Amino acid sequence: MSSENTTQENETTVEVMKNGPVLVYGKLHITHSDGTTETKDKTTAFCRCGASAKKPYCDGSHRKAGFEG
Ligand code: FES
């Protein structure tokens, strides 16, 4: 395996949605503020509007809150 391939495998793609969450693609190991941990696969949506009842994740509340940003 070349070093170029290794770099690509370790890349993380982050997408900021207009008026919505931050999407992070790939496998994530998350440590919460209470010390619990979990693993996420595929796409994880993190709240950036502050209205989610499932923080740090987006639960769609940004629409109801009229979040812009
Ligand atoms: S960004 Fe979706 S609930 Fe906050």
Side-chain angles (χ1 to χ4, degrees):
M1 182 182 306
S2 73
S3 61
E4 184 177 316
N5 286 341
T6 301
T7 300
Q8 288 176 341
E9 289 173 7
N10 291 329
E11 285 183 358
T12 300
T13 300
V14 177
E15 185 176 3
V16 180
M17 304 301 291
K18 183 173 181 164
N19 305 329
V22 172
L23 303 181
V24 182
Y25 297 91
K27 188 172 184 177
L28 304 177
H29 299 282
I30 299 164
T31 302
H32 295 280
S33 57
D34 65 0
T36 60
T37 61
E38 71 183 310
T39 300
K40 294 285 193 176
D41 286 316
K42 299 180 182 172
T43 305
T44 305
F46 290 96
C47 176
R48 66 185 185 99
C49 76
S52 175
K54 293 181 164 184
K55 291 183 193 82
Y57 308 114
C58 171
D59 68 356
S61 295
H62 56 270
R63 290 186 207 96
K64 193 172 183 178
F67 175 66
E68 294 182 6

